[in-house]
Amino acid sequence: MAKKTNLPVSDFEDINFAPGVSFARKAIWWWLPILYLLISDTFYLRTYDSAQVKITLLQMGGIGMLGLWVSLLILEGRKAFRREDFVFMAPFFAYLLYVLVSFTHVPYKGASVDDFVRYIIYMSVTLIVIREFTSEAVDRLTKILIITAYIAILYGVVQFLDTRFFPPKDQGPGLDPFVWRWAFGLRVFSTFGNPNFFGNFLVLILPIIVTQFLKRKSVFLVPLILMDLLCLYATATKGAWLGFGISSFIFAVFYGYFFLGDSLKISRKAFLGLASVIPITAFFVIYLLGNPTSYTFRISTWLSTWEMIESRPLTGIGVGSFKVIYPAYRRPVIFHIEGKHNTETDHAEEEHLEQWMDNGIIGFGLYIWLIAFVTIVGLRGLGAMTENLKGSRPPPVAYDLLGYLTALLAMLAHNFTDVSMRFVSSGIFLGLLPGVIVNLARGHALWELHYKEEAKPAAKETPEHSALFTWAMWLARLAGMVGLLYAAFLVVTEFAELQGPLNNYVAGGEILQWYISWALLLGCVGFFVYAFAGVMLKGVSVAVPAVVLLTLLPMYYFWGWFKGDVNHNMAIFFSKQGKWEEAITYYQKVNKLNKYFIMPYYFTGNVFNDRFNMEKSYHPEWGDKANEPRNDFERAMAAYEAVRSMAPNYVQMHHQVGTLYIKMYDYLMRAGKPQEAAVYLDKAMARFNLYEKLDPVYPLNYYRKAQIDIQRKDFAAAEREYQHDLYAWKCFIPGHLHATPEAYTNLANAEFALGKYAEAAGNYRKALELNPAFEQARRNLAIVQSRVPASRTAPGKR
């Protein structure tokens, strides 16, 4: 561990920093913890995804912070980095570099942009904390994290009380003022929008709260600890309970070894045994109370993920590629567990396995190196801070380090059975916690070492610049300020349009959120105007205004993603009302703002598929271009092809295209064009066959294939399709049947057409055993019995 500089923080105030350096660094010190508070504690219910605001805050706030940091490094010049700095930054730079490499070979880049940007920001946060955060800045960060916890946990308690002592949402008002109350039944989810993500936050923040209590002895932290445990119980998240058990064990072991040491009254083996009680208890509670289908779901998903790893084990498939590639590997049992066929599985239910799948052995090795490096540095730091205590109290920073190190390991342990780290609300801590641990273990920020010999130097003359440089700098500043103010104007005015006037809101929770939303938006915009303007005007550099202008471009681009999600919510609203034209118009707006958002393309195709108006017309608001009229078949195909270009096996896209081809076949047959129509029947069968490979347990897919066979008068092929559905031929589970009245009746109809009357009668009877009122089976059984002697159709005579 490097020696701590002898300079107090106050001494650095007297250093002759380059103009703008101190301002930029202080802006970062404030913005990063506030950004984490906002990401953890905000939600916005006018977007399709209530957590989209968290994603937007990470994208815009994280990129903005990167812009400030790059500006700071430019202003520092040669003092930005030293060669020895990279000893402590190497794992993070290596992982960051490999994420860049991984993105270059992602097969479908559009769907991976989001994850790619997230990991860039996560690793950048680590580097910023290691290099820039002084002990004072880390203390401020910790205090703001405690405030963050109080906000989230208090709202979790509100939800706990609301779900226990107030009527459900559809029966009356409650304590929770927001429209999403009772969204997960009795399970609380707080500002995270999901009990699992809230549970992960509770697990990782608890050791930080506990160590702050041990450090400060503040009574204000006691109720926070108790409420954290209450909310953890109320999330009903088994993985989080297991994470809590493991976290408690890690905390106890570290505290006993480093803080108690030789003062332990029992042997270390006995102490480890006692510490093991909590995780073992948590394991058995989960085993006894857990849902077996949850285990099956996870194990099946892990097996599929392992098969994905085997397809490209060395380099990985590419960062953020799971949700696009996984449908080709998904096991049929997943459809049975979910009871649906139009769902996505976005992640592997095991973060570390997905890291391997994304980045291969190379990237996964760097990921393990990062974790091991941080853990070893943290443990060595704890050892150095607590050696030779001889009964005296450890230094305050030791408690900080214990809390953050336990939090990181607890989060990593929890995500052996969870996906929380793949979502912004939890993933942000993958960047923060390692940076803080390394910073605390070293005892100072890297930049402090660069200036340690310059405390209170003699005043230096400000270097003179040429007139040309001065003119260029002021022109650059002017351009930067104009761009900055224009971007701020656009964001504020466009948010006003998205938000709407206050008189549009009636419910108390909606009115409250209207005010909070405006306050936070104006605060964020105001901060960045202040920070960017300050670093441009204080810094003597032509490059800094250029950096600010370049930073504004991706910030505004991702603001478009937020606007797109609001428009997507509107499109869904109109779709549910059957107002197709309005829905299509909003779907088109979404993909103009976010061309990588797959769902609107898919929904657009479904809308045109359902409507199927074959009269050609020109409607730019429906995606028609270059004054070229189209019909709904052409519009639907264009939308489905857009989906296929980004996610070739997205949800039920192939089945939907198959139904579209069948509609085209029927249309051409009615138009008296049988030869042209036959082509579409072949295309439909090809798409249904393709979908069968992805979802071999979807009954309608077999039914439609059988209908095509019947159109072709191939009743034997139709019989095979109905048998494949009924006998679950690709489930590979002995004795497993997809037994429904429809399945038996359809099979019987095909057998009747083939003259297999006894078999047909038997299957009609099986349909009636399942549903005696099933009219088609009853009617057709009577027809069979009227045409065939009773002895040939009686049960047992097959």
Side-chain angles (χ1 to χ4, degrees):
M1 186 178 69
K3 292 182 179 180
K4 185 173 179 179
T5 176
N6 293 323
L7 291 172
V9 173
S10 60
D11 285 349
F12 286 104
E13 301 296 331
D14 299 321
I15 290 176
N16 189 23
F17 291 114
V21 167
S22 181
F23 177 87
R25 184 170 286 122
K26 288 177 181 178
I28 292 171
W29 288 348
W30 276 104
W31 175 245
L32 191 145
I34 291 174
L35 176 63
Y36 271 65
L37 182 149
L38 293 175
I39 291 173
S40 298
D41 289 340
T42 55
F43 56 91
Y44 189 68
L45 301 181
R46 287 182 63 81
T47 48
Y48 171 73
D49 179 1
S50 60
Q52 178 62 43
V53 67
K54 300 178 186 292
I55 300 170
T56 301
L57 280 165
L58 176 72
Q59 292 166 339
M60 296 182 70
I63 291 171
M65 182 174 59
L66 273 176
L68 283 172
W69 192 43
V70 172
S71 299
L72 168 61
L73 297 178
I74 290 172
L75 293 174
E76 284 198 301
R78 293 183 179 180
K79 280 187 168 55
F81 288 107
R82 290 180 176 181
R83 183 178 301 175
E84 53 267 30
D85 294 344
F86 293 94
V87 173
F88 284 91
M89 290 183 159
F92 312 106
F93 270 122
Y95 184 78
L96 178 59
L97 179 62
Y98 195 79
V99 168
L100 295 171
V101 173
S102 178
F103 185 70
T104 63
H105 64 249
V106 168
Y108 300 96
K109 288 185 171 54
S112 296
V113 168
D114 191 11
D115 276 23
F116 171 67
V117 171
R118 291 183 194 184
Y119 280 101
I120 295 295
I121 294 173
Y122 294 163
M123 290 300 100
S124 299
V125 166
T126 306
L127 297 173
I128 288 171
V129 172
I130 292 173
R131 188 190 184 278
E132 307 299 344
F133 272 56
T134 62
S135 58
E136 180 184 357
V138 173
D139 281 343
R140 180 188 296 120
L141 168 67
T142 304
K143 290 175 183 176
I144 292 178
L145 286 179
I146 296 297
I147 295 171
T148 302
Y150 248 117
I151 295 171
I153 292 172
L154 279 173
Y155 183 45
V157 172
V158 168
Q159 290 183 334
F160 175 81
L161 297 174
D162 182 63
T163 53
R164 269 67 179 182
F165 302 105
F166 291 85
K169 178 180 177 180
D170 56 349
Q171 296 180 15
L175 190 61
D176 185 350
F178 299 110
V179 69
W180 66 356
R181 61 181 295 258
W182 284 71
F184 289 84
L186 294 177
R187 300 176 68 190
V188 304
F189 50 89
S190 186
T191 59
F192 290 78
N194 185 297
N196 294 330
F197 305 159
F198 185 37
N200 186 76
F201 175 77
L202 294 169
V203 168
L204 73 87
I205 204 67
L206 182 60
I208 297 175
I209 301 170
V210 170
T211 51
Q212 289 306 299
F213 170 74
L214 295 174
K215 172 185 173 181
R216 304 177 188 277
K217 303 298 182 180
S218 172
V219 295
F220 294 105
L221 294 175
V222 175
L224 185 59
I225 294 170
L226 297 176
M227 289 189 295
D228 183 294
L229 295 173
L230 174 66
C231 288
L232 185 63
Y233 158 76
T235 61
T237 302
K238 311 301 187 300
W241 294 354
L242 182 60
F244 166 71
I246 296 172
S247 173
S248 301
F249 175 76
I250 293 171
F251 181 86
V253 170
F254 287 173
Y255 189 80
Y257 183 83
F258 291 107
F259 288 72
L260 299 180
D262 296 333
S263 63
L264 275 173
K265 304 297 184 183
I266 58 175
S267 68
R268 290 188 175 182
K269 288 184 178 180
F271 179 77
L272 285 174
L274 289 174
S276 302
V277 170
I278 296 179
I280 292 172
T281 302
F283 176 82
F284 278 107
V285 168
I286 293 166
Y287 179 79
L288 294 173
L289 300 181
N291 185 351
T293 59
S294 176
Y295 306 146
T296 305
F297 182 90
R298 281 172 166 76
I299 293 170
S300 298
T301 306
W302 296 342
L303 291 171
S304 295
T305 306
W306 182 252
E307 291 174 355
M308 295 164 70
I309 291 171
E310 290 179 318
S311 70
R312 196 181 287 180
L314 183 62
T315 60
I317 299 175
V319 60
S321 58
F322 180 90
K323 62 185 175 185
V324 173
I325 305 300
Y326 173 72
Y329 293 84
R330 178 167 40 190
R331 280 165 161 68
V333 68
I334 298 295
F335 297 106
H336 288 305
I337 292 171
E338 293 184 327
K340 298 177 182 178
H341 299 265
N342 60 343
T343 58
E344 289 183 276
T345 300
D346 287 346
H347 298 291
E349 301 293 333
E350 212 278 33
E351 170 60 24
H352 316 297
L353 198 62
E354 191 166 349
Q355 285 281 345
W356 191 347
M357 188 279 303
D358 273 354
N359 301 318
I361 294 174
I362 299 172
F364 184 65
L366 295 174
Y367 172 74
I368 296 298
W369 178 31
L370 185 155
I371 294 171
F373 175 83
V374 172
T375 304
I376 292 170
V377 168
L379 291 176
R380 285 181 176 177
L382 275 177
M385 293 172 190
T386 57
E387 63 182 353
N388 300 320
L389 288 177
K390 297 179 180 179
S392 61
R393 182 175 171 81
V397 70
Y399 292 97
D400 296 332
L401 183 55
L402 173 63
Y404 281 104
L405 182 58
T406 306
L408 174 66
L409 296 178
M411 181 180 72
L412 294 172
H414 177 205
N415 279 268
F416 272 107
T417 58
D418 196 72
V419 297
S420 298
M421 282 171 59
R422 283 283 157 168
F423 293 83
V424 165
S425 56
S426 298
I428 54 175
F429 292 97
L430 178 63
L432 181 69
L433 297 177
V436 175
I437 291 166
V438 173
N439 186 299
L440 291 171
R442 287 176 53 83
H444 49 68
L446 285 180
W447 72 267
E448 293 179 292
L449 290 177
H450 302 176
Y451 292 92
K452 68 178 183 178
E453 296 176 356
E454 296 186 19
K456 299 181 180 179
K460 296 181 181 179
E461 294 183 3
T462 303
E464 294 185 4
H465 299 287
S466 67
L468 179 61
F469 175 85
T470 303
W471 274 100
M473 182 178 65
W474 278 103
L475 286 174
R477 287 173 172 176
L478 178 62
M481 288 299 299
V482 170
L484 177 61
L485 294 174
Y486 181 62
F489 170 78
L490 287 178
V491 170
V492 172
T493 54
E494 289 168 359
F495 184 72
E497 184 179 349
L498 295 174
Q499 182 87 321
L502 180 60
N503 56 21
N504 286 353
Y505 297 80
V506 178
E510 293 179 345
I511 294 172
L512 175 62
Q513 192 173 55
W514 189 92
Y515 281 112
I516 294 173
S517 302
W518 265 117
L520 293 179
L521 180 102
L522 293 175
C524 291
V525 171
F527 172 84
F528 272 108
V529 169
Y530 171 74
F532 281 145
V535 77
M536 285 191 293
L537 297 176
K538 292 176 181 290
V540 181
S541 171
V542 176
V544 167
V547 168
V548 170
L549 287 173
L550 290 174
T551 302
L552 292 174
L553 294 176
M555 289 179 73
Y556 186 71
Y557 170 76
F558 285 114
W559 170 245
W561 285 28
F562 180 82
K563 293 188 293 182
D565 212 63
V566 174
N567 281 287
H568 188 63
N569 195 37
M570 292 299 298
I572 298 293
F573 171 76
F574 285 119
S575 293
K576 289 180 178 179
Q577 292 186 330
K579 297 180 179 179
W580 305 119
E581 294 184 4
E582 292 89 341
I584 293 168
T585 300
Y586 275 100
Y587 285 135
Q588 294 297 319
K589 290 181 180 179
V590 175
N591 286 129
K592 286 180 181 177
L593 294 164
N594 181 2
K595 66 178 182 179
Y596 301 128
F597 194 0
I598 302 172
M599 193 183 298
Y601 294 111
Y602 179 66
F603 285 175
T604 297
N606 291 346
V607 169
F608 289 128
N609 193 344
D610 292 340
R611 193 176 69 173
F612 202 72
N613 183 347
M614 293 302 291
E615 182 179 345
K616 288 200 172 188
S617 59
Y618 179 67
H619 290 277
E621 68 276 14
W622 297 347
D624 300 339
K625 299 177 181 177
N627 292 315
E628 186 175 330
R630 297 188 300 173
N631 55 40
D632 281 356
F633 174 82
E634 294 168 326
R635 295 183 183 109
M637 280 305 304
Y640 288 137
E641 285 304 308
V643 173
R644 194 177 190 183
S645 68
M646 291 183 286
N649 299 314
Y650 185 76
V651 193
Q652 293 186 295
M653 183 261 297
H654 292 300
H655 182 82
Q656 293 295 95
V657 173
T659 62
L660 182 65
Y661 282 140
I662 286 180
K663 289 183 178 181
M664 191 62 176
Y665 166 82
D666 293 337
Y667 170 78
L668 291 173
M669 289 296 290
R670 289 194 300 269
K673 300 178 180 179
Q675 290 184 337
E676 295 179 32
V679 174
Y680 287 98
L681 213 57
D682 293 338
K683 289 183 177 181
M685 181 62 85
R687 286 302 184 105
F688 290 140
N689 285 333
L690 186 55
Y691 185 70
E692 182 183 321
K693 296 178 185 297
L694 304 173
D695 180 0
V697 295
Y698 185 48
L700 283 178
N701 202 61
Y702 291 107
Y703 296 171
R704 288 189 166 123
K705 287 178 67 178
Q707 289 166 7
I708 292 175
D709 292 327
I710 291 170
Q711 290 278 0
R712 295 169 171 170
K713 308 299 183 185
D714 189 349
F715 298 110
E719 180 189 31
R720 283 196 301 273
E721 296 299 342
Y722 289 132
Q723 288 173 339
H724 289 166
D725 168 48
L726 177 60
Y727 298 118
W729 74 304
K730 287 190 177 180
C731 278
F732 309 112
I733 302 175
H736 178 66
L737 294 177
H738 295 158
T740 65
E742 292 85 357
Y744 280 117
T745 301
N746 286 330
L747 177 58
N749 291 342
E751 290 169 336
F752 179 80
L754 289 169
K756 298 180 178 180
Y757 302 121
E759 291 89 339
N763 283 316
Y764 286 135
R765 291 191 180 96
K766 289 180 180 179
L768 291 171
E769 288 175 5
L770 295 174
N771 181 6
F774 195 66
E775 181 59 30
Q776 186 182 6
R778 182 162 43 187
R779 183 177 64 250
N780 290 0
L781 177 61
I783 293 172
V784 173
Q785 290 174 332
S786 68
R787 295 188 181 186
V788 184
S791 61
R792 290 178 55 192
T793 63
K797 299 292 184 180
R798 297 182 61 184

